[in-house]
Amino acid sequence: MKLQLAFQHLLFCSLMSAAVPVWGAQPVTKLIMTSGSFSERDAGNYVAQDQGFFRRYGLEMTFVIVRNGPVGMAALASGETQLHSGSATGAVLGSAAEGMDLVFVAGIINKLIGNIMASPKIKAPADLRGKVIAVTSASGGSWMFTNLALEYWGLDAKRDGITFRILGDESVRSQALLNETVAATHLGYTFSAPLVSKGFTNLGDLAKLPIPFQSTGVLTTRRYMNSSPEVIENVLRGLVDSLNFIAQPENKPAVLKSLMKGLRLKNTEQAVEGYDTLAGIYERKIYPRADGVRNVIRLLGQTNEKIRKLKAEELVDDRFVRKLEKEGRF
């Protein structure tokens, strides 16, 4: 499958930055990283490109937003891309269960994040019984976040008559909720803010719930990891530099600019909502979390025997993060 065919009708975010030169005669390695997210979660990648942190380590990174996780997995499996920024979702674990040699080499966010936003008519999680909830895709990130939240609240989609409607990314789902086409949906903080101001109900900030989860992490194949370990190391060095940059208050204007550009926001106020959450969701030490992957295996394994047989420990590899910690990068 050619990359141009796989990415038809997708939103391309090719933020090719040259802010920091590659010193000397160091060769440049071209890479493509996909993401099925369209939220503040990927601020680290947006900022790394805009500030030239990847190029600092000899990498020319193209960051591509894809329609959903399965498209990202297909591109990774075919070798058209080398990396994916994503969570432990049905697409990821399903691909691993079918034999794809996937591995998380870093965990940028290791918790559930975002809000379950609902119609003003809904006042509590129990009111979701018999209602329609919008998600990006079946078993994708928003579906996963929503199901884990429902489980925490003592709800079960099948038993309680909750229907999932596949609509697309956060901008589409927030509009559907605004129009009351659906009763609720999971949204990142950037897209939640306008709805809160209009009186829509925030049923819960998922980052405050004690639910183990491997959220935004860096995925690759073991084949690529083993053949290009120095590239993986440099990708993570660039991301760590980006996260450190984001953490410095004086860099707020630059981070807001990257968020507006990456998320195609029309005003700074929306970007501020996303920016304000980053300090509370990003990891300082970007270790991937086996317990978070294990929690998703448990959830999906209830209906999928192949996923149930997966071993969480085999889907994470922290050797590169350990090396970065020994270098004193965090």
Side-chain angles (χ1 to χ4, degrees):
M1 178 179 62
K2 298 298 184 182
L3 183 59
Q4 60 267 33
L5 295 178
F7 294 163
Q8 281 181 346
H9 310 301
L10 305 177
L11 173 62
F12 282 80
C13 297
S14 301
L15 309 176
M16 309 299 287
S17 172
V20 179
V22 179
W23 296 296
Q26 182 181 5
V28 173
T29 300
K30 294 185 177 182
L31 296 166
I32 299 175
M33 179 188 288
T34 55
S35 173
S37 171
F38 188 61
S39 72
E40 66 279 340
R41 280 181 281 170
D42 281 319
N45 290 306
Y46 296 143
V47 170
Q49 287 189 308
D50 289 349
Q51 297 299 320
F53 293 136
F54 290 130
R55 293 191 69 86
R56 174 180 289 176
Y57 300 104
L59 306 175
E60 185 176 297
M61 179 77 78
T62 300
F63 190 56
V64 182
I65 302 296
V66 296
R67 184 171 58 248
N68 52 41
V71 175
M73 293 301 98
L76 198 60
S78 69
E80 298 283 357
T81 63
Q82 296 76 42
L83 301 156
H84 181 75
S85 174
S87 307
T89 63
V92 170
L93 297 188
S95 297
E98 292 298 327
M100 189 173 172
D101 58 337
L102 288 170
V103 61
F104 281 96
V105 293
I108 309 301
I109 303 173
N110 295 336
K111 63 178 76 175
L112 292 180
I113 61 170
N115 301 314
I116 301 295
M117 296 299 301
S119 162
K121 301 173 185 176
I122 293 175
K123 303 302 182 181
D127 298 336
L128 293 173
R129 292 187 175 95
K131 300 300 192 297
V132 177
I133 299 178
V135 295
T136 302
S137 61
S139 75
S142 62
W143 181 92
M144 186 71 58
F145 283 39
T146 303
N147 270 281
L148 287 170
L150 292 176
E151 181 182 67
Y152 179 80
W153 290 327
L155 297 170
D156 178 87
K158 185 176 181 180
R159 182 195 67 207
D160 296 315
I162 297 171
T163 303
F164 294 109
R165 181 174 297 173
I166 298 172
L167 290 184
D169 66 32
E170 294 199 23
S171 61
V172 176
R173 286 184 281 116
S174 62
Q175 189 62 44
L177 182 56
L178 185 63
N179 296 335
E180 297 197 53
T181 304
V182 298
T185 192
H186 168 269
L187 293 172
Y189 303 103
T190 300
F191 286 96
S192 294
L195 291 169
V196 171
S197 68
K198 295 178 186 299
F200 282 74
T201 303
N202 181 357
L203 292 176
D205 180 349
L206 303 191
K208 297 179 180 179
L209 304 183
I211 302 174
F213 185 68
Q214 177 59 72
S215 189
T216 301
V218 179
L219 275 159
T220 187
T221 62
R222 285 195 177 274
R223 180 180 66 257
Y224 186 77
M225 179 186 74
N226 291 331
S227 67
S228 305
E230 69 289 345
V231 174
I232 300 298
E233 287 177 16
N234 285 331
V235 168
L236 299 189
R237 288 188 180 101
L239 281 172
V240 168
D241 287 356
S242 180
L243 299 182
N244 289 336
F245 182 90
I246 290 171
Q248 302 303 313
E250 63 268 24
N251 296 326
K252 181 176 179 178
V255 178
L256 290 175
K257 184 177 180 180
S258 290
L259 278 172
M260 290 185 67
K261 180 181 178 182
L263 299 180
R264 300 176 182 250
L265 301 176
K266 296 180 180 179
N267 58 70
T268 305
E269 288 72 23
Q270 283 181 285
V272 169
E273 293 293 338
Y275 171 85
D276 287 343
T277 68
L278 297 179
I281 64 175
Y282 276 155
E283 297 293 331
R284 179 172 172 269
K285 297 183 178 182
I286 58 170
Y287 282 90
R289 293 280 298 273
D291 60 342
V293 175
R294 190 179 300 111
N295 198 28
V296 180
I297 292 174
R298 176 194 59 78
L299 179 66
L300 295 179
Q302 295 172 12
T303 56
N304 187 309
E305 183 179 358
K306 288 185 177 181
I307 289 179
R308 187 163 63 247
K309 292 180 178 179
L310 291 173
K311 304 296 183 183
E313 293 77 11
E314 296 175 359
L315 294 172
V316 300
D317 194 317
D318 65 3
R319 75 179 78 170
F320 303 104
V321 180
R322 282 189 279 111
K323 183 172 182 179
L324 265 59
E325 183 166 23
K326 288 182 180 179
E327 292 177 358
R329 292 182 178 269
F330 43 75

